[in-house]
Amino acid sequence: MPIIATAKIWMDGELVDWEQATVHVLTHSLHYGSGVFEGIRAYRTDQGPAVFRLREHLERLVRSARLLDMKMPYSLDELTDAVKQTVRASGLDACYIRPLAYLGYGEMGLNPLPCETRVSVAVWPWDAYLGDHASGSGIRLKISSWARHDPRALPTAAKATGFYINSSLAKVEAVRAGYDEALMCTTDGYLAEGTGENLFIVRDGKISTPNSSTVGALEGITADAVARIASDLGFEVCPALLRRADLYVADEAFLTGTAAEVVPIASVDDHLVGTGERGPVTKAIQEVYLAAVRGEQERYKDWLDYVG
Ligand code: PPE
């Protein structure tokens, strides 16, 4: 997906022109993957652009930094303001928002402690993450031969730049083999997550999802919203240890993520999931989610932060 440039990027306290938002080649995080980031969406609403669960995303950014022992030079309020300023400056009604905290130029070597943290916020328009038809027809998923990185090797609750090599390897393998997305399992073979999404399975009207901290998956903010929506719709949602075969015999399955939103899984390793079409539970949850993010659901209004 090519990036479409917007007017300004927020860098270390000020809005700079898109072309000026550059770093030195000896930037620490470029060498060691020592950055943390967020992916957030702002949606078009009747009252202008609204950011979905902005506070939770920025709290996770701060938590990710803590897990990597990075100093965060801005408060949550300052980060909130930075995001809103950048969205406003873009003039866009809806966009993807990418805050990034990274270790800058000045020190090299694996000890990050002497490094200064730099922070940026960029926004750009980003449409359907898994293809135009994904939300209706569903995606073809492949179980990756790459295991998900282990929580004993990395603090997997952090959304850290370097960790995404694991996701990229899995994505390349899946795309080269003709699939839309990959799902990674733990080294013990339990289903963990997609390269940029959490997983849900529906069977006999019950919804289950891998327990993030056990399997080393990201604690998804979309997954949290979906669990709340599902329970408000009367479904039971349980964290579970799931195996590959649980996907093969599921009635329905779907992925959730900020970029992907709620996407049905049509097949896994060429086995159809259920009928291979978007199932009724997935559809019901997807409809409420897509209405909630646009401010069309009174009960979830708290999830939106209007840019003004
Ligand atoms: N797991 C992973 C590995 C992940 O990267 C994401 C978000 C999720 C789960 C879902 O988390 P949440 O967005 O809080 O519901 N992936 C982001 C990055 C996408 C990218 O390609 O970059 C996203 O969706 O913004």
Side-chain angles (χ1 to χ4, degrees):
M1 277 166 282
I3 289 179
I4 300 164
T6 52
K8 300 281 184 188
I9 290 181
W10 189 94
M11 271 184 107
D12 305 308
E14 54 183 315
L15 287 171
V16 300
D17 289 342
W18 180 278
E19 292 75 22
Q20 308 301 317
T22 55
V23 295
H24 195 274
V25 74
L26 292 182
T27 295
H28 188 278
S29 290
L30 204 52
H31 295 249
Y32 305 117
S34 53
V36 294
F37 70 107
E38 270 306 316
I40 315 174
R41 273 192 189 273
Y43 288 89
R44 177 208 293 254
T45 76
D46 291 348
Q47 295 142 264
V51 185
F52 185 66
R53 305 195 75 178
L54 177 56
R55 195 77 180 181
E56 286 90 336
H57 279 283
L58 294 177
E59 281 168 359
R60 188 171 64 187
L61 182 73
V62 168
R63 207 160 55 237
S64 296
R66 243 178 58 202
L67 284 164
L68 266 65
D69 252 311
M70 287 171 81
K71 295 180 277 292
M72 173 57 76
Y74 300 101
S75 67
L76 279 172
D77 286 344
E78 286 167 329
L79 293 168
T80 303
D81 198 48
V83 167
K84 289 188 180 179
Q85 271 186 46
T86 319
V87 174
R88 240 180 262 131
S90 75
L92 295 168
D93 297 333
C95 58
Y96 186 77
I97 305 164
R98 170 55 54 84
L100 171 71
Y102 58 100
L103 302 178
Y105 164 81
E107 293 273 350
M108 271 297 173
L110 280 168
N111 178 5
L113 298 177
C115 297
E116 298 265 321
T117 306
R118 313 271 310 260
V119 180
S120 63
V121 181
V123 307
W124 63 85
W126 221 9
D127 293 335
Y129 183 66
L130 291 172
D132 286 342
H133 304 292
S135 69
S137 318
I139 55 148
R140 298 182 61 236
L141 188 73
K142 182 190 192 308
I143 302 289
S144 185
S145 69
W146 290 102
R148 188 62 175 150
H149 44 224
D150 193 291
R152 290 166 297 186
L154 296 164
T156 48
K159 193 169 167 64
T161 58
F163 297 4
Y164 277 79
I165 290 175
N166 184 231
S167 284
S168 290
L169 288 167
K171 185 83 185 186
V172 167
E173 179 188 59
V175 169
R176 283 217 180 112
Y179 296 87
D180 301 308
E181 184 54 296
L183 194 101
M184 292 164 292
C185 298
T186 65
T187 47
D188 298 325
Y190 293 109
L191 303 177
E193 62 180 333
T195 66
E197 308 88 9
N198 292 110
L199 170 72
F200 286 83
I201 286 183
V202 186
R203 192 170 168 197
D204 298 331
K206 289 198 180 123
I207 305 178
S208 47
T209 186
N211 185 314
S212 302
S213 64
T214 312
V215 300
L218 192 71
E219 292 168 10
I221 291 164
T222 318
D224 179 74
V226 156
R228 162 88 192 280
I229 290 169
S231 109
D232 289 347
L233 287 171
F235 296 102
E236 199 185 323
V237 185
C238 298
L241 275 176
L242 298 165
R243 292 282 192 184
R244 179 178 196 152
D246 291 314
L247 262 174
Y248 293 5
V249 298
D251 299 326
E252 302 179 31
F254 58 91
L255 296 174
T256 66
T258 298
E261 301 176 315
V262 179
V263 169
I265 300 170
S267 65
V268 180
D269 301 327
D270 302 308
H271 296 260
L272 290 187
V273 175
T275 61
E277 299 196 347
R278 176 176 57 183
V281 178
T282 306
K283 184 162 183 275
I285 291 170
Q286 198 183 36
E287 280 172 359
V288 176
Y289 179 78
L290 293 175
V293 297
R294 290 176 174 79
E296 294 160 8
Q297 290 271 326
E298 201 50 48
R299 95 196 280 183
Y300 306 120
K301 279 262 167 141
D302 288 358
W303 284 341
L304 295 184
D305 209 321
Y306 292 88
V307 168

